[in-house]
């Protein structure tokens, strides 16, 4: 998700720019991760076999195994073209500003099996930027080499390598922010949060080695480096969002996953540490993310599906330089920030669903880094209802889908306040947290 709110707070663009950012946030929140029809054609399985809702995003244990196996499972009936597309039309009504209706996104997916041991997922995304113009960019990438059907001490073992551009996107449980493609928006945020200012998402490249032992123990270790700003520009990203230069970067993931057939449970921990120069010619900040996540999924007979997940990520910061405020005040040299996301999803017959998400971004008081009040805390919610009629064994088609969703995005706090959140002077029109709210209706077609 774009860090549009930070740019608004610091650069004070027009309200139209802010609402355009909210529209993009709503689009990503309601249509973030999808069932890819190319996978359904490759495996001979319906989209609903891999996803709790026929259009996604939540993965079933079957879908998790497909991802762990490097997207290489097949029905054995010959080569399938690993290409899919998606079109999304969205009507957005912000609390302040004009309503809009646009073809907001067009996507091309290169996704599927290349060999028995090699497969992947690549998304090329074209986003509406206004005035009938679109920006095309390379979005999520996850290329895998996997060795399957191994044994260790008589237990099943899967080993693989993932090359990807968003730490956590490759995670099979899909609860981490970059895998769920949703995280708390605000003026501060962790490295693992796609809504953070100068996020790492899609602007880095890395590789990790992972393993699944006895179908329950998952471990992964890897490293990342940021793409040069020239490369980010060629890939469709504004260099103002550059995550900076990364050094000594390490990624670690460990999780316990238990498939109980009608239920699924997982508990995991994640860590990401790096030295970051932002700007690239400046001193290095030492940043360490430490987090944990819990997921429970009730599948039953697939008529009523309930999933609950909670992710809590803490980031410890040791700044490489001290900042001075206008009154000679020195900013703290160390800080700890938190991102928390709790999501509850109910799906009926893998067709109708409702998603409730509560997001919290918090940090210490810092009058220099977080103007105008020195309080970076933000609280927001997403409420989505959706209908996905296809992608099931008994539907009109199993290898294409339609999703119609209504999403309400709301803030209850921003910059630590509900009223006058950007510190408008007397006589100027203030902005309240509720003014950032927006409602959208979207229709997405995947084929």
């Amino acid at each position: 998700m774009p860090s549009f709110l930070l740019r608004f707070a610091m650069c004070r663009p027009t309200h139209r720019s802010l609402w355009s950012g909210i529209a993009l946030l709503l689009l990503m929140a309601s249509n973030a991760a999808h069932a890819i029809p190319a996978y359904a054609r490759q495996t001979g399985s319906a989209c609903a076999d891999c996803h709790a809702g026929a259009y996604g995003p939540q993965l079933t244990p079957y879908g998790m195994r497909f991802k762990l196996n490097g997207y290489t499972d097949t029905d054995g009936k010959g080569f399938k073209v690993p290409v899919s597309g998606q079109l999304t039309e969205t009507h957005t009504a912000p609390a302040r500003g004009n309503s809009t209706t646009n073809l907001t996104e067009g996507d091309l997916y290169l996704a599927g099996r290349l060999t028995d041991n090699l497969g992947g997922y690549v998304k090329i995304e074209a986003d509406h930027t206004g005035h009938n113009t679109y920006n095309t960019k390379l979005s999520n990438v996850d290329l895998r080499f996997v060795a399957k059907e191994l044994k260790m001490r008589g237990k099943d073992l899967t080993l693989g390598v993932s090359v990807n551009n968003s730490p956590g996107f490759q995670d099979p449980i899909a609860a981490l922010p970059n895998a769920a493609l949703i995280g708390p928006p605000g003026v501060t945020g962790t490295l693992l949060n796609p809504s953070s200012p100068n996020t790492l998402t899609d602007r880095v490249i890395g590789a990790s080695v992972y393993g699944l032992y006895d179908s329950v123990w998952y471990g992964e270790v890897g490293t990342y480096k940021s793409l040069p700003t020239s490369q980010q520009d060629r890939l469709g990203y504004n260099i103002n969002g550059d995550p900076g230069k990364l050094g000594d970067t390490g990624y670690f993931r460990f999780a316990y996953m238990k498939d109980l057939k009608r239920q699924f449970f997982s508990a995991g921990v994640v860590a990401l540490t790096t030295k970051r120069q932002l700007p690239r010619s400046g001193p290095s900040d030492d940043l360490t993310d430490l987090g944990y996540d819990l997921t429970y999924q009730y599948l039953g007979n697939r008529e009523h599906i309930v999933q609950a997940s909670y992710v809590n990520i803490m980031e410890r910061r040791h700044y490489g330089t001290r900042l001075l405020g206008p009154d000679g005040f020195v900013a703290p040299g160390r800080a700890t920030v938190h991102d928390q996301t709790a999501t509850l999803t109910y799906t009926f017959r893998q067709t109708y669903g409702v998603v409730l998400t509560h997001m919290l971004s918090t940090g210490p008081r810092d009058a220099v880094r977080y103007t105008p009040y020195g309080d970076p805390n933000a609280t927001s919610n997403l409420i989505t209802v959706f209908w996905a009629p296809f992608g099931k064994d008994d539907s009109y088609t199993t290898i294409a889908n339609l999703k119609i969703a209504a999403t309400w995005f709301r803030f209850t706090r921003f910059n630590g306040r509900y009223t006058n959140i950007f510190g408008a002077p007397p006589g100027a029109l203030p902005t309240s947290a509720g003014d950032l709210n927006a409602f959208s209706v979207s229709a997405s077609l995947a084929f």
Side-chain angles (χ1 to χ4, degrees):
M1 287 180 229
S3 55
F4 66 92
L5 291 169
L6 178 71
R7 293 195 293 273
F8 178 84
M10 298 188 67
C11 302
R12 303 297 174 92
T14 63
H15 283 168
R16 182 176 180 180
S17 299
L18 177 61
W19 308 142
S20 297
I22 289 178
L24 182 57
L25 176 63
L26 282 165
L27 172 66
M28 296 186 71
S30 58
N31 299 291
H34 321 282
I36 307 300
Y39 291 150
R41 294 191 289 269
Q42 172 181 303
T43 62
S45 300
C47 297
D49 291 342
C50 282
H51 295 271
Y55 204 90
Q58 291 85 5
L59 290 172
T60 63
Y62 178 85
M64 296 177 195
R65 288 192 294 271
F66 177 74
K67 190 172 183 178
L68 283 166
N69 284 338
Y71 313 102
T72 61
D73 296 345
T74 177
D75 61 4
K77 297 181 181 180
F79 176 77
K80 310 295 194 308
V81 178
V83 177
S84 284
Q86 178 179 256
L87 297 173
T88 301
E89 180 90 5
T90 306
H91 173 77
T92 303
R96 281 172 58 178
N98 298 324
S99 298
T100 60
T101 301
N102 294 295
L103 180 64
T104 47
E105 186 176 334
D107 304 313
L108 175 67
Y109 295 94
L110 307 176
R113 174 183 181 272
L114 297 178
T115 70
D116 288 343
N117 304 98
L118 185 65
Y121 172 105
V122 178
K123 180 182 178 182
I124 301 171
E125 179 180 329
D127 296 319
H128 183 262
T129 55
H131 305 293
N132 296 319
T133 60
Y134 288 81
N135 177 62
T136 301
K137 62 184 181 181
L138 178 66
S139 186
N140 302 115
V141 173
D142 183 17
L143 305 177
R144 298 187 180 228
F145 175 82
V146 62
K148 300 172 284 186
E149 300 179 0
L150 303 176
K151 292 288 184 179
M152 187 171 74
R153 296 184 178 180
K155 304 289 186 180
D156 292 334
L157 175 66
T158 298
L159 294 176
V161 176
S162 167
V163 177
N164 63 84
N165 64 350
S166 298
F169 175 77
Q170 75 278 21
D171 193 68
I173 302 171
L176 297 180
N178 264 324
L181 289 180
I182 185 170
V187 297
T188 190
T190 62
L191 292 168
L192 291 168
N193 181 359
S195 297
S196 296
N198 302 94
T199 176
L200 305 187
T201 302
D202 300 335
R203 295 173 181 262
V204 300
I205 189 67
S208 58
V209 178
Y210 68 89
L212 179 68
Y213 178 66
D214 195 23
S215 300
V216 294
W217 301 105
Y218 178 77
E220 182 178 0
V221 61
T223 186
Y224 291 87
K225 68 175 184 178
S226 55
L227 296 173
T229 53
S230 59
Q231 187 67 34
Q232 294 178 46
D233 181 62
R234 285 193 292 269
L235 293 177
Y237 291 92
N238 191 319
I239 62 174
N240 290 332
D242 176 34
K245 183 179 180 181
L246 307 182
D248 300 332
T249 304
Y251 175 83
F252 170 80
R253 173 70 162 149
F254 180 78
Y256 173 80
M257 309 161 56
K258 186 63 176 179
D259 181 7
L260 301 172
K261 304 304 180 184
R262 295 169 65 91
Q263 300 178 79
F264 171 84
F265 170 79
S266 71
V269 293
V270 64
L272 178 66
T273 182
T274 191
K275 297 181 184 296
R276 177 163 75 168
Q277 292 175 260
L278 183 65
R280 293 184 176 231
S281 59
S284 295
D285 298 331
D286 290 336
L287 307 176
T288 300
D289 284 17
L290 301 170
Y292 68 92
D293 57 285
L294 302 169
T295 297
Y296 171 78
Q297 190 177 81
Y298 173 78
L299 293 167
N301 60 4
R302 305 296 178 97
E303 182 172 10
H304 302 279
I305 298 177
V306 178
Q307 177 167 313
S309 64
Y310 174 70
V311 181
N312 189 328
I313 298 174
M314 174 189 69
E315 182 170 285
R316 294 176 177 173
R317 300 174 176 176
H318 184 190
Y319 297 109
T321 186
R322 294 288 183 94
L323 297 181
L324 292 177
D327 298 325
F329 184 80
V330 180
R334 297 175 182 267
T336 300
V337 301
H338 282 85
D339 285 327
Q340 299 178 67
T341 304
T343 302
L344 178 65
T345 303
Y346 168 73
T347 308
F348 178 62
R349 294 182 177 175
Q350 296 186 281
T351 302
Y352 310 93
V354 58
V355 184
L356 308 175
T357 302
H358 180 70
M359 296 172 286
L360 184 63
S361 178
T362 59
R365 296 192 65 84
D366 187 334
V368 178
R369 290 186 174 90
Y370 306 123
T371 58
Y373 304 112
D375 188 345
N377 296 344
T379 305
S380 55
N381 297 279
L382 278 167
I383 302 172
T384 300
V385 295
F386 66 85
W387 174 56
F390 308 130
K392 299 173 286 293
D393 288 329
D394 58 352
S395 62
Y396 175 76
T397 177
T398 63
I399 57 175
N401 215 332
L402 169 72
K403 181 178 182 181
I404 297 177
T407 299
W408 183 34
F409 174 49
R410 62 189 293 267
F411 274 93
T412 55
R413 182 173 52 165
F414 191 80
N415 277 338
R417 295 169 64 94
Y418 178 76
T419 59
N420 197 15
I421 59 176
F422 297 124
L429 180 64
T431 301
S432 69
D435 291 331
L436 305 182
N437 297 348
F439 177 79
S440 73
V441 177
S442 63
S444 298
L445 177 66
F447 50 91

